[in-house]
Amino acid sequence: MTFNNNASMPADIPAIFYKLKMSTDKKRGIFKNMRILAFNWRDPKNPLAGGAEEYLFNILSLIANDKNKVTYFVASFPGSRSREEGENYTIIRKGSRFTVYVHAALFYIKNRKKYDVVIDSINTVPFFIPLYVGKNKRIAIIYHFGGWKTIRKELPLFPSIVAYIAEKSIALFYKNTDIITISNSTKEDLLKKNIDEKRIKIVWSGVKTVKNRAYNEIKKASVPTVVYIGRIKFSKNIDHVIKAFKIVKGRIKNAELIIGGKGDEDCYTYLKNLKKEENIDNVHFLGELNEKDKTRYLELAWVFVYPSAKEGWGISAIEANTCGTPVIAYNVPGLRDSIKDTITGMLAKENDIGDLADKITFLLNNQIARDELGKNAIGWSKNFSYEKSAEKFYEELKFLSTDH
């Protein structure tokens, strides 16, 4: 089996340009006359962009039309333009990953009459819009609560402390704000923080293309193939995949491991060094992949391994499911929502690399179970289109204009 280590890079375009389309009748009948301002830490062109950016931009791309205008206010990054205009949307970039919050507040205060709705897309640190946006004009998206351990893996000590305090303050500042979240796990976390359940709505994440095909139409690799494709970050615990794969290799000699995705170069370096230190054969690092290449490797995979410490939802699991690939992950918030244990994949004991290896070994050795999970995975993935998510999201935006 030959792997392409020079897979073509994705085009430098935001997710809002992906061909996500709703019928003309739906757009005319549901989406009309709204000026939306969305605050987000990053935009899809940002090298550090991830699932939160995909969720926000893909949903709003379906809501935007000739009457609904969307403005994204995000942080700048090296080489970025300060302003971009597109059909029914504008991207404004100002400030760094740390100062964007101040710039966003000042921008809204100066331009508040221009917008009907303000969306606070919270990725650990909120924009604190309840301090300057009226309650009938604001809505927050809360993907998940990272907690100290996750935050500390991603940031230096002082920024970690600030981010952790900011995350802890959400319950205080957002108790009178309508909240959209993406999983039952995060909803449960919000309820534990005494957020009124009436203010919490779940809008699932989607996949850009829900494929309509049978499991037997998908060509799997000729050798046992384990895949992780997603963000390369320390909080994703990708080193657990490598350590579990070493155990698997002792049992299944011809097994292969593929790791791909964009992210932290320091993390990539650490993973490559780990492979050398552990002296593991057949581990392939592919780097960033475009959509075509990503789909090809997800189709080849016998299993997809997703060992994150915590997720808001875990869109990579559903992407693997669309390709008839069962997912093995830890039994943690978010992933226990996107993965149906023993139905579309398997959940291992949290942080138990041995259990992770046992479940990988089981599925690689058991074609009957693997095929059954793969068929179920395709059916499960069809529940998650961005069309459905956009319609529900828009209904929540319209709800803001009512007295509640």
Side-chain angles (χ1 to χ4, degrees):
M1 187 174 180
T2 302
F3 298 99
N4 176 13
N5 286 288
N6 295 301
S8 54
M9 298 291 283
D12 185 23
I13 57 175
I16 49 179
F17 291 150
Y18 287 126
K19 294 182 179 178
L20 297 170
K21 296 181 179 179
M22 302 185 75
S23 70
T24 302
D25 290 341
K26 281 185 178 179
K27 275 207 166 189
R28 287 175 179 166
I30 298 175
F31 301 151
K32 52 189 178 182
N33 297 324
M34 191 172 289
R35 298 166 301 171
I36 301 167
L37 174 62
F39 292 150
N40 199 67
W41 185 4
R42 308 162 180 149
D43 68 90
K45 284 188 178 181
N46 192 308
L48 298 177
E53 287 69 46
E54 180 174 325
Y55 177 89
L56 179 69
F57 278 70
N58 284 332
I59 284 179
L60 292 187
S61 73
L62 289 171
I63 291 174
N65 60 23
D66 58 347
K67 293 183 178 180
N68 290 321
K69 308 299 183 184
V70 179
T71 300
Y72 303 96
F73 195 100
V74 298
S76 59
F77 57 90
S80 66
R81 287 187 284 169
S82 61
R83 188 182 184 95
E84 289 189 34
E85 299 282 353
E87 186 178 359
N88 306 317
Y89 79 91
T90 301
I91 300 176
I92 297 173
R93 300 186 182 94
K94 197 164 186 179
S96 68
R97 60 189 293 188
F98 302 112
T99 64
V100 63
Y101 303 97
V102 175
H103 288 292
L106 294 175
F107 176 84
Y108 175 73
I109 291 168
K110 182 178 179 180
N111 298 279
R112 60 186 178 277
K113 293 182 180 180
K114 296 180 181 179
Y115 298 104
D116 303 304
V117 178
V118 181
I119 299 172
D120 188 344
S121 179
I122 301 174
N123 197 344
T124 304
V125 179
F127 283 83
F128 293 105
I129 64 173
L131 296 177
Y132 51 89
V133 180
K135 71 176 183 178
N136 282 350
K137 291 185 68 173
R138 67 182 187 240
I139 195 163
I141 306 173
I142 298 178
Y143 302 94
H144 69 101
F145 292 94
W148 174 253
K149 289 182 180 179
T150 299
I151 293 171
R152 187 66 185 93
K153 282 185 176 182
E154 301 301 327
L155 294 172
L157 180 58
F158 181 71
S160 292
I161 294 171
V162 173
Y164 179 68
I165 293 171
E167 184 179 76
K168 294 288 282 185
S169 71
I170 289 173
L172 173 64
F173 286 95
Y174 288 80
K175 63 182 179 180
N176 294 319
T177 299
D178 291 317
I179 294 171
I180 287 176
T181 190
I182 60 176
S183 69
N184 283 315
S185 290
T186 305
K187 180 179 179 180
E188 290 171 5
D189 284 344
L190 288 164
L191 293 175
K192 290 175 184 176
K193 296 178 185 299
N194 297 317
I195 300 294
D196 186 350
E197 186 171 10
K198 293 179 181 178
R199 289 199 172 273
I200 307 169
K201 297 293 186 294
I202 296 176
V203 179
W204 306 111
S205 186
V207 288
K208 287 186 282 291
T209 304
V210 177
K211 301 172 180 65
N212 186 21
R213 56 183 172 174
Y215 178 75
N216 60 13
E217 295 174 349
I218 298 171
K219 183 178 175 59
K220 294 294 180 182
S222 58
V223 297
T225 302
V226 179
V227 168
Y228 170 86
I229 295 176
R231 295 281 292 141
I232 306 298
K233 298 171 64 177
F234 287 102
S235 62
K236 301 295 184 181
N237 289 336
I238 306 166
D239 57 325
H240 291 206
V241 183
I242 295 174
K243 292 172 182 177
F245 184 71
K246 181 179 181 179
I247 298 172
V248 172
K249 281 287 289 181
R251 303 164 178 171
I252 305 172
K253 301 299 182 184
N254 64 337
E256 305 270 356
L257 173 60
I258 300 171
I259 296 173
K262 67 177 181 177
D264 190 332
E265 286 301 321
D266 289 341
C267 187
Y268 250 128
T269 300
Y270 165 71
L271 296 174
K272 290 175 181 178
N273 289 336
L274 179 63
K275 172 196 170 182
K276 292 178 182 178
E277 291 168 6
E278 298 289 343
N279 193 27
I280 311 171
D281 294 329
N282 299 337
V283 179
H284 309 272
F285 294 96
L286 303 183
E288 188 174 355
L289 302 171
N290 63 23
E291 289 298 311
K292 181 178 179 181
D293 288 328
K294 180 170 76 171
T295 298
R296 180 160 64 91
Y297 287 116
L298 290 177
E299 289 177 345
L300 288 170
W302 289 25
V303 296
F304 183 97
V305 182
Y306 202 171
S308 287
K310 191 174 186 180
E311 290 287 342
W313 168 249
I315 191 59
S316 296
I318 304 300
E319 290 176 336
N321 287 169
T322 68
C323 298
T325 301
V327 181
I328 299 173
Y330 289 136
N331 188 359
V332 296
L335 294 177
R336 67 172 66 110
D337 297 282
S338 58
I339 299 162
K340 310 296 285 184
D341 191 25
T342 72
I343 298 173
T344 66
M346 302 183 77
L347 295 175
K349 298 173 186 176
E350 185 175 356
N351 284 325
D352 191 329
I353 293 173
D355 193 32
L356 197 67
D358 288 344
K359 286 177 168 55
I360 296 170
T361 302
F362 171 77
L363 282 186
L364 293 184
N365 280 332
N366 193 324
Q367 183 173 351
I368 293 175
R370 199 169 63 244
D371 289 347
E372 183 66 23
L373 295 182
K375 292 173 185 176
N376 293 339
I378 289 177
W380 172 242
S381 71
K382 291 178 181 178
N383 293 304
F384 305 102
S385 73
Y386 271 117
E387 280 192 5
K388 294 177 182 178
S389 298
E391 287 185 34
K392 189 169 183 182
F393 194 100
Y394 190 77
E395 288 302 316
E396 298 309 318
L397 293 184
K398 290 200 298 182
F399 184 63
L400 285 176
S401 63
T402 65
D403 247 351
H404 64 285

